[in-house]
Amino acid sequence: MERNQMHRQVSVMRQSLFDQGYLDEQFIQLEELQDDANPNFVEEVVTLYYRDSSRLILSIDQALERNPLDFNKLDTYMHQFKGSSTSIGAKKVKAECTQFREYCKVGNGEGCMRTFQQAKKEYTILKRKLEAYFQARQSGPSETACRPRN
Amino acid sequence: MLKSKNGMKDGLLNSVKAGPPALLELSSKITALVVDDNTLNQTIHHRLLDNLGIQNQVVGNGKEAVDVHCSGKNFDLILMDMDMPVMNGIEATRKLRTMGIRSLIAGVSARSTEKEKQEFIEAGLDDYQEKPLTTTKLASILHKVKKDG
């Protein structure tokens, strides 16, 4: 019974990520690539995303401190960040990236800065939620295996 | 409501089977080259191809794609990103065609303006798909490999 409850909890956690708009269909595409030989593929990809994009975020932060702003460079960085975010289905992050690029096109520095703060916020929130989800997913089966029989 | 994940591999195989009956068998004999500078995309595309039993190699830019062909290797399918350092996908596609490479080259890019897409296609692509690459998009590319093969 407890094992089923745990599975249900993990399932509810996962569904809420979609219902609350944090993830989109692309995340499901990644899940479909998991199998017995690659049971943690999604977690590996998400880990890679957060590792690689942290460097991009730093570059964007530094670029936003320059005066005058180089909107071409900012757009290039954000194109990469948006691309990676899209690849893991990070829906809200992707939306902020799109908005940022719109501000770049019209040379709106304040808009870029404001939107980037929001993008980082969504990025961090998603990271926390995904970490919790993956932890719950991992801890379910092994906990069951450790539970002594009655 | 989003669908739950079950049997998508069967769904993909059904998609691949939707073409000529030999396509499923062919996918396990196809070789592919992934050309992308983004490690995340490299990982995903590599896994997508692996999942179909397609032997594949990954390189990080257009120059490496050209170099691997100069070393004597050949591939049935090349998944070519557009924006890459050293040599981008447009230049690499042109170079490969000039070298006489007749592999099916599918551009895979996040660029979405018609002008950028057209420039990439005119460099010598056989197909173009917008990122992110999915199993469905890959299946449609594979159908082309069969038709042209």
Side-chain angles (χ1 to χ4, degrees):
Chain A
M1 178 64 94
E2 258 186 66
R3 183 181 168 186
N4 284 341
Q5 268 182 338
M6 215 166 264
H7 280 162
R8 256 198 307 276
Q9 273 175 11
V10 171
S11 181
V12 164
M13 274 179 88
R14 176 185 172 274
Q15 190 58 44
S16 73
L17 291 169
F18 294 102
D19 293 343
Q20 290 169 24
Y22 289 103
L23 295 176
D24 63 25
E25 166 72 25
Q26 178 60 21
F27 191 83
I28 298 175
Q29 293 287 328
L30 296 181
E31 287 179 320
E32 302 301 351
L33 294 175
Q34 287 186 151
D35 56 20
D36 291 341
N38 302 273
N40 302 310
F41 179 71
V42 180
E43 189 173 353
E44 288 162 15
V45 165
V46 168
T47 301
L48 189 56
Y49 166 71
Y50 278 100
R51 190 196 73 189
D52 285 359
S53 54
S54 65
R55 285 193 282 264
L56 267 174
I57 285 174
L58 184 60
S59 297
I60 297 171
D61 263 327
Q62 289 170 346
L64 283 171
E65 284 170 10
R66 296 210 173 96
N67 190 12
L69 292 176
D70 184 340
F71 289 104
N72 282 334
K73 189 174 261 185
L74 282 168
D75 185 65
T76 299
Y77 286 140
M78 189 49 78
H79 168 74
Q80 293 173 48
F81 185 42
K82 183 185 168 184
S84 294
S85 302
T86 303
S87 291
I88 70 152
K91 193 174 175 182
K92 291 193 182 191
V93 178
K94 185 175 101 174
E96 297 302 330
C97 293
T98 301
Q99 185 60 60
F100 183 101
R101 297 189 75 197
E102 291 301 316
Y103 282 129
C104 277
K105 273 184 205 167
V106 297
N108 184 337
E110 270 189 40
C112 284
M113 288 181 201
R114 200 170 53 242
T115 309
F116 189 54
Q117 292 312 311
Q118 191 58 28
K120 285 195 289 186
K121 186 179 158 192
E122 295 297 346
Y123 172 88
T124 305
I125 291 171
L126 179 63
K127 185 178 183 187
R128 268 205 314 267
K129 287 185 179 286
L130 285 172
E131 279 172 350
Y133 166 64
F134 289 131
Q135 192 165 12
R137 191 174 163 264
Q138 295 284 12
S139 63
S142 59
E143 231 173 278
T144 303
C146 291
R147 190 173 294 117
R149 283 186 184 177
N150 290 326
Chain B
M1 284 307 259
L2 292 162
K3 61 180 185 288
S4 62
K5 50 177 180 75
N6 56 30
M8 185 60 190
K9 193 166 185 174
D10 289 341
L12 164 66
L13 293 177
N14 285 337
S15 166
V16 170
K17 280 183 216 173
L23 185 57
L24 179 59
E25 192 186 321
L26 179 70
S27 71
S28 63
K29 293 176 184 169
I30 289 173
T31 58
L33 178 68
V34 174
V35 190
D36 201 309
D37 62 319
N38 181 298
T39 49
L40 189 63
N41 290 328
Q42 286 177 359
T43 303
I44 295 172
H45 295 172
H46 173 72
R47 180 76 193 106
L48 272 169
L49 292 163
D50 255 2
N51 205 35
L52 281 177
I54 296 172
Q55 197 184 339
N56 65 96
Q57 189 174 333
V58 177
V59 294
N61 60 60
K63 184 177 182 303
E64 288 179 13
V66 169
D67 289 347
V68 81
H69 282 87
C70 288
S71 74
K73 284 196 172 176
N74 222 315
F75 305 89
D76 301 296
L77 169 66
I78 301 172
L79 297 179
M80 183 76 79
D81 181 27
M82 189 162 86
D83 293 313
M84 293 179 287
V86 186
M87 186 186 288
N88 66 32
I90 295 174
E91 295 168 57
T93 301
R94 279 199 199 112
K95 178 73 180 168
L96 289 171
R97 293 306 191 205
T98 305
M99 286 164 60
I101 300 299
R102 292 289 163 253
S103 312
L104 190 136
I105 304 179
V108 185
S109 177
R111 293 284 179 186
S112 54
T113 68
E114 270 311 304
K115 187 183 165 195
E116 287 163 334
K117 182 179 166 181
Q118 198 51 40
E119 192 184 355
F120 201 5
I121 291 171
E122 283 171 6
L125 296 182
D126 298 292
D127 197 359
Y128 176 92
Q129 296 287 347
E130 280 197 21
K131 278 183 189 173
L133 196 63
T134 62
T135 48
T136 307
K137 289 177 184 177
L138 184 55
S140 81
I141 294 170
L142 288 173
H143 277 93
K144 265 187 164 276
V145 172
K146 174 59 180 175
K147 281 178 188 168
D148 296 348

